[in-house]
Amino acid sequence: MNFLSQYWRKKLIGDIKQQKLLFSALFFLCIFGVGSYVTLTMGYTNLYASLDRIYATTNFADVEINTHSDIWFNISEVESFVKNFSKQNPEVGTINFRLLAASGYNSSIETKDGTRFQLTAGRAIGIDWTFSQTEMVNGFIFTEGMENPNPVNNSILLEAHYARTYDLHVNDSLQTKINGQEFNLTIQGIVYNPESLIVIPSRHDFLPNNRFGNIYLPLRALQEYTNLTDLANNIIIKLADDLHDEARSSIVSNFYRELNLYTTNSFAPPIFQEYQVSNWAINMDLEEINKIAIVLPILILGVASIAIFITLNRLVQSQRRIIGIASSLGYTPNDILLHYTSFSLILGILGSLVGIILGILLSGGITWVYAYFMGFPAIISVELQLEVILSAFFIGVSVTFISGLIPAVKANLISPREALQGNITVGKGRFSFIEKLLRIRSFRIRFTIPLRNLFRQRSRTIATIFAISASVMILVVSGAFNDSINTGISKQFSETSPYHLTVSYDGFKFADLGLLDDIAFIEQLPGVESVDPVLELPSILETSSRKEEALIIAWNSSSPRAHNFQWTSKGDQLLPNSSLILTSGLARTLGSSTGSILSYGYPRIPYLNSAFEIANATWNIWFTFGEERARNETLDEIYSLITRNKERLSFSQTSEGVNLRNADITVTGVSEEIWGSVAYTTVQTLTESMGIDIFKNSHLDIDLSPYSKLILKVKNPNNLTILENIKTEISSLSEIRSITFGYDFRTSVNLTMTAFNVIVTIFIIFACILAGAAIFTTIHINFQERARESATMLTLGLSDQEFLFIITIENVFQTIMGILGGILPGLLLADWILSNALRTFYFRIIVTPQTWIILWFGVLLIVLISQIPAIIQGVKMDLAEVTKEFSH
Amino acid sequence: MSLEGIVTLENVNRVYHMGDHEIHALKDISLSLETGKLVVVLGPSGSGKTTLLNVLGAIDKCDGKITVNDLEITRLGKKQLTKYRRKKCGFIFQFFNLLPVYNALENVEYAIELATNLSRKEVTERATEYLRKVGLFEKRFHFPSQLSGGEQQRVAAARAMAKSPELLLCDEPTGELSVNEGKKVLTVIQNMVKERSDVLTILVTHNQKIAAIGDTIVRLRSGEVDSIEEQTPIPAEQLSW
């Protein structure tokens, strides 16, 4: 094919050779643009494909329905309903019934200070083991142990994240606490499960937590441990494949409606697969990757297209004579057009091809790195995606081709007469706006040249500034992310919630049923500074227009010692009764502020009503033996009722699982914290709403205020021995499920941040390359274009240092403008991403002085480095030859 | 030949390497040129005349010895050569080489500022004076793109002379100009030579007719001095070519 005539082919190769540095820079920009698109898009798609494979292998439930937290259903009764429903609706595939119960473990972990035991929380999941792996919804991927285990009552399957954290293996024993009793359970297999690909205890405990242990055991065994014979509280449903969203939604809502009719409203609303907490968290991450996969290549290819346009425009200008001669010798306009578009085509084709190859290799890496950090099973799908490859090639070639087309058309339009005529002026001289503004007349004339140069070719200056701004935007977003999150987390744990130990109870512990004794016991332990009991409850907060799920943390006093509210306005105040303090993220989501009145949902605990009746009866029986006797016997009776039926008193971790009633409450303050869905109130407010105060306000005079946690501050938190001693003493108390050190929690937060920091680092590298390539291209072009005048200045006696100074000032000025131009959009973009992508958190945008310094100096340094080749070329140029060049 | 006077060249050679080829642009040139004279270097294309100008202006290297007012420039380092060009040489290029970002006045100011320690005001005064001398006072605020070729070259002449150089080097100053414009430029140069007896002006041209304005004509052929002639110059206005 005679693509180009021999002359133009030779010229093309010659031009590329002559401009090899510039061509290389543009080539790399194309590679980066196309490469980043392929890497991130294929990484994103591969991760989704991996998820799909994992979900397909494990029969991940399409929907999950839980009973309200204080209700269990009889399996045989619901089973008959389900059979009937399935008969009428063949789209319903498989349905499994499960029993979920809170659990706690005593596990040991190797640390640098030796072996430490840890009391950790988790969930026991009772499943029908008679199902085969294909029938089982939410089945397993085994990393250790038999794929078809035949578990006896004291054996379990352990979720892989927990097993890895505590180095547990098949046949190891796991000390487990369920329903207040301790069991030694043998691990029969280590498994992954689709519900916990990222282990997140609940939507309110949304940080990935590999210390949260999910165990799977036979349904009957768990029923026995929890005194819930024949009962279950969780239904998981796998629908027929290829069901449309509408059909899926319709069938599930029918099922739910009929189920609730059948069981008199025992069930909380269904949770579809996309809202299952682990899947939801992964999807949020993947959506982030998807957004980046769009924004980053746009920025890079945008800069590449500007650079190509500037370069080719310059090439056409410098070759006007050649174009003129060629035209007059009879070459057609098409030859010329084809020649100059060939540059951008070659760049586009080569850059896209190399970018695609690199992108394919790196996308595998991204998939693997994400899966590694999140602890996915080894089913990773890395596939060549033809549509991504083709679209990357199309985008890469189109962007470069279009960027080169305008200069090529310009070349094509030059008439031979015009082209052969005279010199080409490289931008007209004019007084710069700044000189006029500042009236710089006393300035040394040779130092005004950078200012003049800036205003000489405004479009190029603006393009360069835009390219630097694009890089700075990426840097600001990365820096603001890093600083906002790190500062937010650091402030939360060091100033707002400066606690050192958290003790979680099995369900609740009631004030007069041991909690006050526990507090008294802990307060006298050496090293303990303060103990605050708290009650955590999932709730729904509503305004007239908005509704938001929230976690309410209730303190037993209006001024907790382990929590310092960070007020956002002067009118904010500590907790009076019947009031609520919102965290700023939640206030923003709800559109509420201090003084707003909200409706909040509180749980009902019908079991407590029957407990109250039993307690009354006990009191009456024993009252004839004296009030003290009556009180002691009543307390014993209540204690026995509660410890035997602890599961009946525990709430689900999410508000979907809680049957809520509503009451109005006034917002008395907004505290700036990192949690996006947390509100604070007092225990008294909640117990009054829940009707628990009847115990206190009756002749029984028993304070049954429920608490779920103790928050401890110690005097010397750095002394690990004291902390360990306190933990050991506390673990001897009854009904303790888990004890977490503040720094353990921070460690898991930091671990989560590691993956994030890797992404930030990649961003920063991209941004630096972008800034460097942009400035390198412009400087190089500017230098080529102004070679004769530079040579003239040097010939007239300008020293190398002055020459360096002039070039540097011009570039520094462009850089400063670029940085200033990139800061505000960067901050706005960071704020948008932080507030939209991280709904469960709230981070105020913060950029620390260190980051600003690094940003300014970093970008300036890159610019200074990028100008080195042009300056070397400048000071080494042959003055005799260049001063005599006819045109630029 | 006597080696006394302001500028002396002794056995100056310049060889260019073009791949495997060697081009001997200057061959054993020895010359002595005196202050206050306009020396025209004449020769066909490739005779070495521009190379001679370049080595005198220290923008090209050579072997041999060149002395300008007792300063042996062939022994100077890069910084000293920059200083030499800045203080002692005035350049008028064939393609004018005005700095496009500066207007006429600023172009002249630029050279004065580099060469002297005058204040900003004094620099402006001197630049204005020289532009007046070349007949461009009215257009002193015009940028090069707003001036004709001849006007640009006159600005270049003002720029070269305003710094009070010891050596004024003019490389085909009329090469890009019409006859009328060329004559005006040559008149400017000739007038400057008359005014300044301490300056040696070397004008390179291939145009035999222009040689008539010089006090001395140095003819070059194939990099060698073919002849040196003294003559009585005629005013540039009387030239025609």
Side-chain angles (χ1 to χ4, degrees):
Chain A
M1 189 179 91
N2 191 13
F3 177 64
L4 281 173
S5 70
Q6 201 184 355
Y7 166 73
W8 289 111
R9 249 198 326 265
K10 273 188 181 171
K11 185 181 166 304
L12 185 67
I13 294 164
D15 285 342
I16 291 172
K17 274 185 183 168
Q18 203 187 356
Q19 304 274 358
K20 54 181 177 287
L21 264 180
L22 206 54
F23 200 83
S24 306
L26 298 175
F27 182 55
F28 277 113
L29 274 176
C30 291
I31 292 174
F32 277 125
V34 174
S36 61
Y37 170 74
V38 173
T39 304
L40 293 165
T41 311
M42 277 182 57
Y44 164 78
T45 319
N46 276 332
L47 278 167
Y48 258 123
S50 305
L51 268 188
D52 284 345
R53 279 185 63 189
I54 293 168
Y55 289 165
T57 311
T58 53
N59 266 338
F60 187 27
D62 288 294
V63 69
E64 175 180 357
I65 305 177
N66 293 295
T67 55
H68 292 299
S69 63
D70 51 350
I71 296 170
W72 286 261
F73 64 86
N74 188 298
I75 294 176
S76 55
E77 283 173 21
V78 173
E79 211 166 21
S80 63
F81 159 79
V82 164
K83 272 182 188 160
N84 277 335
F85 188 88
S86 299
K87 238 183 236 171
Q88 290 159 17
N89 299 279
E91 302 90 343
V92 175
T94 318
I95 296 184
N96 287 181
F97 304 112
R98 306 190 303 181
L99 177 60
L100 312 184
S103 57
Y105 315 100
N106 187 350
S107 302
S108 60
I109 191 167
E110 286 298 324
T111 68
K112 61 180 185 338
D113 304 302
T115 305
R116 284 166 48 194
F117 79 90
Q118 289 186 339
L119 294 182
T120 58
R123 186 178 296 127
I125 301 163
I127 50 177
D128 189 343
W129 226 269
T130 55
F131 287 123
S132 69
Q133 181 78 345
T134 46
E135 287 172 320
M136 188 182 282
V137 182
N138 287 357
F140 304 110
I141 294 168
F142 279 78
T143 60
E144 267 185 59
M146 290 190 299
E147 298 238 350
N148 290 308
N150 184 20
V152 284
N153 271 0
N154 67 345
S155 61
I156 54 162
L157 300 180
L158 177 63
E159 204 280 326
H161 291 81
Y162 189 87
R164 196 162 54 188
T165 306
Y166 289 97
D167 195 24
L168 289 163
H169 299 278
V170 167
N171 294 331
D172 284 350
S173 175
L174 183 65
Q175 213 179 320
T176 310
K177 200 184 257 188
I178 297 170
N179 198 26
Q181 301 167 69
E182 281 187 14
F183 305 92
N184 261 330
L185 303 176
T186 307
I187 300 166
Q188 204 170 17
I190 307 289
V191 294
Y192 284 106
N193 182 271
E195 286 173 303
S196 45
L197 287 181
I198 296 182
V199 185
I200 298 177
S202 76
R203 270 175 205 259
H204 298 292
D205 209 351
F206 25 68
L207 285 172
N209 183 358
N210 293 348
R211 293 164 201 266
F212 186 85
N214 286 315
I215 58 170
Y216 305 90
L217 62 168
L219 182 59
R220 287 200 179 284
L222 188 57
Q223 287 169 334
E224 194 183 309
Y225 297 158
T226 50
N227 296 329
L228 295 165
T229 313
D230 296 332
L231 302 179
N233 55 2
N234 171 262
I235 301 175
I236 43 178
I237 306 167
K238 183 89 183 88
L239 300 169
D241 292 336
D242 306 327
L243 217 53
H244 294 301
D245 279 354
E246 233 170 77
R248 186 169 155 250
S249 158
S250 145
I251 203 159
V252 170
S253 68
N254 284 342
F255 179 84
Y256 175 65
R257 195 182 57 246
E258 288 182 28
L259 179 68
N260 257 347
L261 278 174
Y262 186 78
T263 58
T264 54
N265 290 327
S266 299
F267 286 86
I271 303 167
F272 283 90
Q273 193 185 76
E274 50 267 40
Y275 295 108
Q276 193 277 329
V277 67
S278 155
N279 189 36
W280 168 73
I282 295 171
N283 278 316
M284 280 216 309
D285 278 357
L286 294 189
E287 286 317 307
E288 278 313 290
I289 295 176
N290 194 23
K291 274 183 200 155
I292 296 167
I294 296 167
V295 173
L296 199 63
I298 285 179
L299 284 174
I300 299 174
L301 284 174
V303 172
S305 67
I306 291 170
I308 290 168
F309 174 77
I310 293 173
T311 308
L312 284 187
N313 216 18
R314 147 81 200 145
L315 194 73
V316 168
Q317 285 284 318
S318 68
Q319 296 187 347
R320 281 164 66 102
R321 283 211 152 195
I322 297 171
I323 295 167
I325 293 165
S327 302
S328 54
L329 289 177
Y331 282 101
T332 65
N334 279 347
D335 286 331
I336 294 164
L337 185 73
L338 199 59
H339 170 71
Y340 287 101
T341 47
S342 302
F343 275 96
S344 52
L345 267 178
I346 288 175
L347 268 174
I349 292 169
L350 288 181
S352 300
L353 287 177
V354 178
I356 287 167
I357 292 166
L358 274 177
I360 291 168
L361 296 175
L362 288 173
S363 73
I366 275 212
T367 315
W368 187 86
V369 166
Y370 182 83
Y372 174 79
F373 272 110
M374 293 304 166
F376 273 24
I379 302 180
I380 300 296
S381 181
V382 179
E383 291 164 8
L384 281 182
Q385 294 150 29
L386 197 61
E387 67 280 9
V388 177
I389 293 170
L390 290 176
S391 61
F393 189 76
F394 175 75
I395 292 167
V397 173
S398 307
V399 168
T400 49
F401 177 73
I402 291 166
S403 317
L405 193 62
I406 300 167
V409 169
K410 246 187 201 175
N412 193 23
L413 293 177
I414 299 173
S415 74
R417 183 195 57 77
E418 193 189 340
L420 288 168
Q421 227 176 33
N423 208 345
I424 301 154
T425 51
V426 187
K428 285 179 183 169
R430 54 164 73 91
F431 286 114
S432 68
F433 163 72
I434 294 176
E435 282 176 280
K436 284 177 193 164
L437 189 75
L438 303 177
R439 296 174 183 278
I440 306 174
R441 281 299 297 165
S442 56
F443 214 56
R444 285 279 165 192
I445 188 79
R446 61 184 178 275
F447 299 135
T448 58
I449 203 163
L451 279 178
R452 299 278 174 95
N453 279 338
L454 280 172
F455 290 89
R456 182 175 179 179
Q457 278 164 307
R458 290 178 194 176
S459 55
R460 185 179 303 165
T461 305
I462 289 168
T464 310
I465 290 172
F466 172 80
I468 295 170
S469 293
S471 316
V472 170
M473 262 175 77
I474 301 175
L475 286 172
V476 170
V477 169
S478 313
F481 255 54
N482 197 47
D483 290 352
S484 306
I485 293 176
N486 283 330
T487 312
I489 289 173
S490 175
K491 191 177 174 190
Q492 183 72 40
F493 293 112
S494 59
E495 290 177 34
T496 314
S497 312
Y499 63 85
H500 306 114
L501 271 174
T502 307
V503 179
S504 298
Y505 283 111
D506 285 329
F508 297 124
K509 189 132 188 179
F510 298 86
D512 276 345
L513 293 184
L515 180 104
L516 296 177
D517 296 339
D518 284 358
I519 293 174
F521 171 77
I522 295 169
E523 277 179 339
Q524 54 79 40
L525 291 174
V528 173
E529 188 184 311
S530 68
V531 184
D532 278 311
V534 298
L535 169 63
E536 289 183 358
L537 282 180
S539 176
I540 303 269
L541 299 181
E542 276 182 73
T543 64
S544 53
S545 56
R546 296 177 199 180
K547 188 175 181 180
E548 193 66 23
E549 199 180 310
L551 179 73
I552 293 187
I553 299 177
W555 301 88
N556 74 326
S557 94
S558 61
S559 52
R561 285 162 292 183
H563 198 86
N564 302 309
F565 293 107
Q566 309 292 325
W567 302 124
T568 51
S569 72
K570 281 184 183 170
D572 293 341
Q573 52 174 309
L574 290 172
L575 293 158
N577 212 17
S578 295
S579 70
L580 197 69
I581 289 171
L582 299 177
T583 46
S584 36
L586 190 55
R588 185 159 82 166
T589 317
L590 287 167
S592 302
S593 57
T594 303
S596 303
I597 295 173
L598 303 174
S599 165
Y600 85 106
Y602 59 88
R604 66 184 178 90
I605 313 179
Y607 185 78
L608 276 180
N609 292 331
S610 54
F612 183 71
E613 281 162 23
I614 293 166
N616 252 335
T618 311
W619 178 275
N620 289 329
I621 290 168
W622 290 99
F623 192 69
T624 49
F625 296 97
E627 193 168 328
E628 198 185 334
R629 183 76 186 267
R631 181 179 164 76
N632 289 340
E633 292 296 337
T634 308
L635 278 177
D636 280 351
E637 181 60 33
I638 294 172
Y639 185 76
S640 157
L641 278 171
I642 285 172
T643 48
R644 270 189 282 117
N645 297 286
K646 193 163 272 293
E647 264 316 300
R648 290 182 183 271
L649 285 165
S650 63
F651 291 141
S652 154
Q653 294 276 355
T654 56
S655 59
E656 288 105 334
V658 183
N659 205 350
L660 298 170
R661 289 181 180 175
N662 287 316
D664 283 349
I665 198 161
T666 309
V667 178
T668 55
V670 176
S671 176
E672 190 174 297
E673 301 183 22
I674 62 171
W675 316 121
S677 56
V678 170
Y680 299 98
T681 187
T682 57
V683 172
Q684 197 187 341
T685 306
L686 280 181
T687 51
E688 279 174 15
S689 300
M690 291 157 78
I692 296 171
D693 57 333
I694 51 170
F695 287 92
K696 181 86 180 162
N697 297 328
S698 71
H699 60 281
L700 293 169
D701 190 24
I702 300 167
D703 185 358
L704 281 190
S705 301
Y707 292 91
S708 50
K709 277 182 180 172
L710 298 175
I711 309 284
L712 272 74
K713 279 174 81 177
V714 299
K715 288 170 189 159
N716 188 356
N718 297 325
N719 189 330
L720 200 63
T721 315
I722 292 179
L723 277 177
E724 283 291 331
N725 286 341
I726 293 170
K727 188 180 76 178
T728 310
E729 292 290 341
I730 294 174
S731 62
S732 68
L733 295 171
S734 64
E735 300 170 65
I736 305 292
R737 181 187 296 163
S738 67
I739 303 174
T740 314
F741 286 174
Y743 70 74
D744 279 339
F745 184 61
R746 285 195 74 168
T747 308
S748 61
V749 171
N750 289 339
L751 205 66
T752 312
M753 295 301 294
T754 310
F756 170 78
N757 286 335
V758 169
I759 293 169
V760 167
T761 310
I762 292 170
F763 260 51
I764 289 172
I765 293 169
F766 263 120
C768 292
I769 291 171
L770 203 59
I775 206 79
F776 173 82
T777 311
T778 314
I779 295 168
H780 212 80
I781 291 289
N782 281 346
F783 178 75
Q784 284 187 346
E785 209 165 68
R786 301 172 192 165
R788 197 176 74 159
E789 55 189 85
S790 299
T792 304
M793 289 193 288
L794 290 166
T795 303
L796 294 181
L798 191 75
S799 69
D800 289 352
Q801 290 78 5
E802 286 166 330
F803 179 68
L804 173 73
F805 176 80
I806 285 168
I807 290 189
T808 305
I809 287 292
E810 183 180 341
N811 292 328
V812 165
F813 194 84
Q814 289 187 103
T815 309
I816 289 171
M817 298 298 286
I819 292 175
L820 290 175
I823 285 175
L824 188 63
L827 288 175
L828 291 174
L829 186 63
D831 187 46
W832 181 78
I833 293 174
L834 275 177
S835 53
N836 284 286
L838 305 172
R839 266 177 75 84
T840 47
F841 290 99
Y842 170 79
F843 293 104
R844 191 160 60 88
I845 288 289
I846 291 169
V847 182
T848 59
Q850 292 93 314
T851 302
W852 284 127
I853 291 169
I854 291 169
L855 179 96
W856 279 93
F857 281 94
V859 176
L860 282 169
L861 186 69
I862 291 163
V863 167
L864 294 181
I865 292 170
S866 307
Q867 66 176 17
I868 290 173
I871 288 171
I872 291 174
Q873 229 178 324
V875 295
K876 281 191 173 174
M877 75 184 145
D878 184 341
L879 298 181
E881 196 178 315
V882 181
T883 48
K884 284 160 192 64
E885 275 175 5
F886 171 73
S887 64
H888 303 275
Chain B
M1 183 186 294
S2 151
L3 291 181
E4 291 164 10
I6 179 182
V7 173
T8 58
L9 293 90
E10 290 176 57
N11 306 320
V12 171
N13 282 281
R14 178 67 172 113
V15 180
Y16 294 108
H17 298 274
M18 309 277 279
D20 295 337
H21 300 281
E22 278 191 354
I23 297 166
H24 218 128
L26 297 176
K27 290 179 194 163
D28 277 330
I29 301 274
S30 293
L31 274 176
S32 175
L33 303 166
E34 289 170 28
T35 305
K37 294 273 178 70
L38 171 57
V39 178
V40 176
V41 180
L42 198 62
S45 182
S47 60
K49 51 190 190 302
T50 297
T51 306
L52 179 67
L53 207 67
N54 291 342
V55 296
L56 280 169
I59 56 174
D60 200 359
K61 295 173 287 186
C62 65
D63 296 326
K65 186 177 172 184
I66 300 174
T67 310
V68 178
N69 274 348
D70 300 329
L71 180 70
E72 192 182 332
I73 62 166
T74 35
R75 294 184 62 169
L76 297 180
K78 199 177 179 203
K79 275 188 182 174
Q80 290 160 310
L81 284 175
T82 301
K83 200 174 163 190
Y84 161 76
R85 288 198 303 269
R86 179 186 280 216
K87 304 261 183 197
K88 300 197 172 183
C89 294
F91 291 90
I92 299 175
F93 304 96
Q94 181 178 359
F95 301 115
F96 331 131
N97 289 22
L98 294 184
L99 300 174
V101 289
Y102 290 145
N103 62 27
L105 182 67
E106 288 168 333
N107 263 288
V108 183
E109 285 178 334
Y110 180 83
I112 302 170
E113 191 187 278
L114 277 177
T116 67
N117 291 321
L118 296 176
S119 69
R120 187 77 170 84
K121 193 180 165 201
E122 290 166 327
V123 167
T124 306
E125 280 169 5
R126 194 197 280 195
T128 311
E129 179 198 329
Y130 271 86
L131 281 174
R132 203 187 298 274
K133 279 184 188 172
V134 298
L136 288 170
F137 175 76
E138 301 298 327
K139 293 190 173 180
R140 66 192 183 284
F141 297 125
H142 287 210
F143 283 90
S145 56
Q146 298 165 310
L147 298 171
S148 70
E151 288 168 336
Q152 287 190 54
Q153 197 62 300
R154 279 189 278 154
V155 175
R159 175 176 72 181
M161 284 306 291
K163 67 197 273 190
S164 302
E166 293 175 7
L167 202 55
L168 175 62
L169 304 168
C170 316
D171 185 10
E172 300 273 13
T174 58
E176 289 295 306
L177 305 177
S178 65
V179 175
N180 278 341
E181 281 183 324
K183 280 191 334 194
K184 279 185 194 169
V185 169
L186 292 176
T187 306
V188 163
I189 294 170
Q190 212 173 27
N191 290 342
M192 284 179 178
V193 174
K194 276 182 199 160
E195 277 179 26
R196 297 281 302 274
S197 57
D198 55 341
V199 180
L200 168 64
T201 304
I202 300 174
L203 188 149
V204 161
T205 182
H206 64 276
N207 190 331
Q208 299 257 12
K209 292 186 175 166
I210 289 174
I213 67 163
D215 300 299
T216 307
I217 300 173
V218 177
R219 288 178 200 277
L220 292 184
R221 185 182 295 274
S222 304
E224 291 174 293
V225 177
D226 194 36
S227 66
I228 301 174
E229 293 167 25
E230 298 293 329
Q231 65 175 21
T232 306
I234 61 163
E237 294 92 339
Q238 295 174 18
L239 289 179
S240 66
W241 67 87

